[in-house]
Amino acid sequence: MLWVDQYRPRTLDDLHYHKGLSARLKSLASSGDFPHMLFYGPSGAGKKTRISCTLRQLFGPGVEKLKIDQRVFLSPSKRKLEINLVQSNYHIEITPSEAGNYDRVVIQELLKEIAQTQQVDLNAKQKFKVVIINEADSLSRDAQAALRRTMEKYMSNLRIILCANSTSRLIAPIKSRCLLMRVAAPSEEDMMDVLQNVAKRVGFDLPPDAADKIVDDAEGNMRKAILVLEALKMQSPNLNGPLSIAKPDWETYCHKVADLIIGEQSPARIMEVRSKFYELLSHCIPPTVILKTVAERVVDKVDESLKADIMHWAAFYEVRMRNGNKKIFHLEAWVVKVMSLYKHFFYGIDMSDFD
């Protein structure tokens, strides 16, 4: 078992950082009036860990007896939608965005079915079931509207816990019906503390230099930091000497794409970059992650006066990409815009001259 799973905190008291948030969750779980909740914050900050610890506080250790199931839903056009569920006797965890544009069907059918059934365990501390919805900020507007109606109608038997990176794409009626819990990225000191704790439990001393390097590379992502720690320990048992932290293949590939954009600005190069984007998308790298990674690399390489414009257009096309269907169009449009800015800066040439 990976260390990130093996040494994951099981209770709210075990959590190493955001102690005030843990105390608040403990108080809510102990009160008789547990609300719908929305956990939001950057990836790797510990949202899911806090949710699982809160569930344990609500229902006891039985909530950790999980089984993975697959449910089939039918779309209005009779197309079969297969969705994976993780469930215990007390809760169900789903990712409706797996169904794409049909996420509304999953939300309506599953939540209605759960809400109309009573709690199986008559000795349970709480009489309601909990539904955890991952990637809530990826839900379509129709699915969010269906979720809002369900939250109103079945409050007595059901509590919803939403997990999202950002609240910006969630409709106001959903946010107003949830208690918002912001899980901020851990500070460098918090990450050092957790890494030292994991090292101690495994049974080795973590040199401060190695810990510093891991924390710098993780950039606030606690999950990534623990995975890197385990990988480095396998490579170099003493963690001494120069340590090289390997970048994921997709990240290296994104950096190559950025170098292509800066290296030449031409219609032929746009076509080459498009094929690279298709390859990344075919390996299930989210388009927003591709755009962010390539943009950050481009910004590192260009003149100071171009940085703000490049990030402005990256944000502009990210919003369009979230609202549209053809992700490649928006990625490509951003590349053309960057090339245009770059050409104009150096030679006073606009890419529209190539049309």
Side-chain angles (χ1 to χ4, degrees):
M1 185 185 285
L2 292 171
W3 292 353
V4 74
D5 296 317
Q6 188 175 352
Y7 301 113
R8 187 182 189 183
R10 297 284 185 264
T11 68
L12 291 168
D13 291 329
D14 293 339
L15 292 164
H16 286 80
Y17 54 92
H18 301 334
K19 296 284 188 183
L21 181 58
S22 300
R24 192 177 176 200
L25 289 169
K26 196 171 182 179
S27 173
L28 284 166
S30 304
S31 72
D33 188 22
F34 190 78
H36 299 304
M37 301 181 83
L38 167 56
F39 285 78
Y40 67 100
S43 186
K47 298 185 294 295
K48 287 187 179 176
T49 299
R50 272 166 176 72
I51 290 170
S52 63
C53 290
T54 305
L55 288 176
R56 186 184 169 109
Q57 187 74 30
L58 274 171
F59 299 107
V63 82
E64 293 175 357
K65 294 176 182 175
L66 301 172
K67 63 176 182 178
I68 299 173
D69 198 7
Q70 192 174 62
R71 286 284 301 276
V72 177
F73 299 89
L74 285 178
S75 72
S77 59
K78 304 301 179 189
R79 179 182 163 191
K80 288 186 177 179
L81 310 168
E82 293 183 349
I83 300 292
N84 293 317
L85 309 175
V86 178
Q87 57 186 335
S88 71
N89 287 337
Y90 311 99
H91 85 290
I92 287 184
E93 185 176 340
I94 57 171
T95 308
S97 55
E98 290 175 3
N101 293 333
Y102 297 109
D103 52 359
R104 176 183 59 83
V105 177
V106 177
I107 290 282
Q108 279 182 322
E109 292 190 19
L110 188 66
L111 295 190
K112 186 177 178 182
E113 176 190 314
I114 295 166
Q116 290 176 342
T117 57
Q118 293 292 326
Q119 176 65 264
V120 177
D121 187 352
L122 298 176
N123 298 318
K125 296 179 185 177
Q126 310 290 345
K127 299 305 177 189
F128 55 80
K129 265 196 159 185
V130 172
V131 177
I132 300 167
I133 299 179
N134 294 321
E135 298 178 18
D137 45 347
S138 297
L139 292 174
S140 66
R141 302 287 283 193
D142 286 347
Q144 291 188 45
L147 178 59
R148 176 185 65 81
R149 291 191 294 271
T150 306
M151 290 167 85
E152 289 174 343
K153 193 172 180 181
Y154 300 113
M155 180 75 178
S156 58
N157 285 357
L158 186 67
R159 294 294 186 279
I160 308 283
I161 295 181
L162 303 173
C163 185
N165 286 349
S166 165
T167 62
S168 61
R169 294 195 65 220
L170 291 167
I171 60 175
I174 283 184
K175 289 187 275 192
S176 68
R177 285 163 176 77
C178 293
L179 180 62
L180 272 60
M181 289 287 179
R182 180 173 177 267
V183 184
S187 66
E188 291 188 0
E189 292 76 15
D190 292 333
M191 295 183 78
M192 295 278 244
D193 185 35
V194 172
L195 289 175
Q196 292 290 357
N197 183 266
V198 170
K200 186 178 177 183
R201 292 178 69 179
V202 174
F204 69 94
D205 291 324
L206 177 60
D209 290 349
D212 280 337
K213 191 161 188 175
I214 294 169
V215 168
D216 286 343
D217 178 73
E219 296 179 338
N221 189 325
M222 196 67 250
R223 179 175 58 246
K224 181 181 177 183
I226 297 171
L227 288 169
V228 168
L229 173 64
E230 185 171 7
L232 289 177
K233 178 65 177 169
M234 296 301 114
Q235 292 169 17
S236 172
N238 296 324
L239 291 173
N240 291 323
L243 298 171
S244 61
I245 299 173
K247 296 284 184 188
D249 290 344
W250 65 265
E251 194 173 323
T252 306
Y253 202 78
C254 283
H255 288 173
K256 287 180 180 175
V257 172
D259 295 342
L260 286 173
I261 294 168
I262 293 169
E264 182 187 321
Q265 296 78 43
S266 68
R269 183 52 60 93
I270 292 169
M271 297 300 290
E272 189 180 348
V273 169
R274 177 196 279 179
S275 68
K276 304 286 186 193
F277 280 150
Y278 271 126
E279 195 163 341
L280 285 162
L281 291 168
S282 70
H283 284 82
C284 300
I285 307 301
T288 51
V289 172
I290 296 172
L291 181 58
K292 178 177 180 285
T293 309
V294 175
E296 284 177 349
R297 174 74 168 191
V298 169
V299 163
D300 284 344
K301 297 266 186 175
V302 299
D303 187 87
E304 197 70 34
S305 61
L306 286 172
K307 294 180 190 290
D309 278 342
I310 287 171
M311 292 313 289
H312 163 76
W313 288 108
F316 176 83
Y317 284 109
E318 183 184 3
V319 171
R320 285 199 163 189
M321 191 157 53
R322 288 182 183 278
N323 294 328
N325 290 325
K326 293 287 186 182
K327 312 300 183 190
I328 189 70
F329 291 169
H330 307 292
L331 287 169
E332 196 173 43
W334 175 77
V335 170
V336 172
K337 194 70 188 177
V338 170
M339 286 186 174
S340 176
L341 290 167
Y342 201 75
K343 277 274 189 184
H344 191 69
F345 176 75
F346 280 104
Y347 310 111
I349 299 172
D350 197 299
M351 285 295 284
S352 60
D353 298 342
F354 293 114
D355 291 346

